[in-house]
Amino acid sequence: MTRQLILAINPGSTSTKVGLFDGTDEIMSRTVRHGADVTGLSLPEQLPHREREVRDLLAETGIAGEELSAIVGRGGLLAPMTSGTYAVNPLMREDLASGRFGMHASNLGGLLAHKLGDLFQVPNFIVDPVVVDELGPLARATGMPEINRRSIFHALNQKAVAKRFAAENGSDYNELNLVIAHLGGGITVGAHAKGKVIDVNNGLDGDGPLAPERAGSIPVGQVVELCYSTRYKESEMKQKIVGRGGLFAHLGTFDAIEIEQRMADGDEQAALLYETMAYRVAQEIAKHGATLRGDVDAILLTGGIAYSTWLTEQISARVGYLAPVHIYPGEDELKALAEGAFRAIRHEEAVREYEGDTHGTRI
């Protein structure tokens, strides 16, 4: 049988994860860590350095770039878009490179996929970036006319896990109602109704449960008072919401394993905060019981912290009445990227075209 080799690329702030797949079967995966000479540059300036390191890694496998069937990169901050696999077109490259909708290391995913795809003359894609937006109008409106809720969440992993669950149970993702919680440094909980995420907390801007590094939803009036107290600069306040909020703000660590060890050693504050996180996640899941009008086929817990039996049991005990709970620990994003590209090259899924900001929306 002819191999269908797919190169998947997931850039982070200090490293680039690279995977080589035959279809959806992993052949190799590696994390390329970048030195300060690279990470100290602006993201656009990092592109040629990261490209060279990915090419060097591919060369080590003995596989020529021309043998690849597709190259796929992690989608970055773009205009709101429908879920799916997208060809990397000129408008997408422009928005990723300029940071029009925000500058993040994941912006390099589509740019790297294109650079290598152009070099080797193979199709190049992104799959389910964090700005996948399928919110219904009821989920979008708020009590302040100046502010609408935005869809920014772990779309890649949530969608991939949903499709795996459906396949394992002889069903179709587009026929199921699911509530999916991604438990990581940030936490997002989505209501998936027949293939669309009709409501989800904005995991970037402080919405939803408290998380290892994010404050989650907190009383806005008190936040306003803190902002105007002159105690903190704007940049410091933003860090208190995302990056250095949540469990880190209280315990000085993001590490769930360390926190659970503290609990085992009798640290009452660690135990209280960790259980509070489980409590808030369960509340967010239960809320979507109403979103889906009580018609929930399953609850899926995924992400790195879903490896914690203690945490998943705490959550399951509170939401098991709503639907069966299934655990999919980890966030195998390289495989999820390869799966999306594989569906595209096999014509199991139509390749979408990025159209940019069609509604005047800025992220």
Side-chain angles (χ1 to χ4, degrees), residues 7 197 210 233 236 254 256 259-260 281 311 321 347:
L7 184 69
V197 183
L210 74 88
K233 300 176 182 176
E236 292 172 325
F254 311 110
I259 292 170
E260 290 196 25
V281 171
L311 187 72
Y321 72 92
H347 306 292

Side-chain angles (χ1 to χ4, degrees), residues 269-319:
Q269 185 189 25
L272 173 63
L273 288 162
Y274 206 55
E275 186 170 359
T276 298
M277 185 172 75
Y279 175 72
R280 299 293 185 202
V281 171
Q283 287 183 320
E284 194 76 13
I285 291 170
K287 175 182 82 174
H288 288 313
T291 304
L292 297 171
R293 299 178 181 269
D295 181 13
V296 183
D297 294 299
I299 296 164
L300 310 183
L301 305 182
T302 184
I305 311 180
Y307 281 109
S308 168
T309 301
W310 187 92
L311 187 72
T312 57
E313 286 181 348
Q314 288 287 317
I315 296 169
S316 299
R318 291 184 180 275
V319 300

Side-chain angles (χ1 to χ4, degrees), residues 4 54 81 102 116 162 172 184 189 191 202 213 221 234 240 251-252 267 270 298 306 314 320:
Q4 293 187 298
V54 173
M81 55 209 300
L116 294 168
D172 184 332
V189 182
N202 180 332
E213 62 178 55
E234 179 182 353
K240 290 176 78 65
L251 303 174
D267 186 328
Q314 288 287 317

Side-chain angles (χ1 to χ4, degrees), residues 2 11-12 18 73 80 86 89 97 102 106-107 130 133 163 178 196 213 215 266 287 307 309 338-339 342 355:
T2 303
V18 182
Y86 286 76
N89 63 17
S106 60
N107 286 27
V130 295
D133 188 343
K163 290 169 184 174
L178 305 169
K196 292 187 181 297
E213 62 178 55
K287 175 182 82 174
Y307 281 109
T309 301
E339 288 171 344
F342 189 58
E355 298 179 353

Side-chain angles (χ1 to χ4, degrees), residues 177-296:
N177 286 341
L178 305 169
V179 180
I180 304 180
H182 177 105
L183 310 174
I187 292 173
T188 57
V189 182
H192 296 238
K194 313 300 185 191
K196 292 187 181 297
V197 183
I198 61 171
D199 202 348
V200 65
N201 63 295
N202 180 332
L204 189 61
D205 284 346
D207 188 22
L210 74 88
E213 62 178 55
R214 300 181 189 179
S217 299
I218 47 182
V220 177
Q222 293 178 48
V223 175
V224 171
E225 291 173 4
L226 202 56
C227 287
Y228 282 90
S229 70
T230 71
R231 290 171 58 189
Y232 301 103
K233 300 176 182 176
E234 179 182 353
S235 60
E236 292 172 325
M237 281 301 302
K238 288 182 175 178
Q239 281 194 323
K240 290 176 78 65
I241 295 170
V242 177
R244 302 181 70 83
L247 298 183
F248 181 86
H250 290 277
L251 303 174
T253 182
F254 311 110
D255 190 337
I257 295 175
E258 179 183 339
I259 292 170
E260 290 196 25
Q261 184 58 55
R262 288 194 198 180
M263 292 164 57
D265 293 340
D267 186 328
E268 293 182 1
Q269 185 189 25
L272 173 63
L273 288 162
Y274 206 55
E275 186 170 359
T276 298
M277 185 172 75
Y279 175 72
R280 299 293 185 202
V281 171
Q283 287 183 320
E284 194 76 13
I285 291 170
K287 175 182 82 174
H288 288 313
T291 304
L292 297 171
R293 299 178 181 269
D295 181 13
V296 183

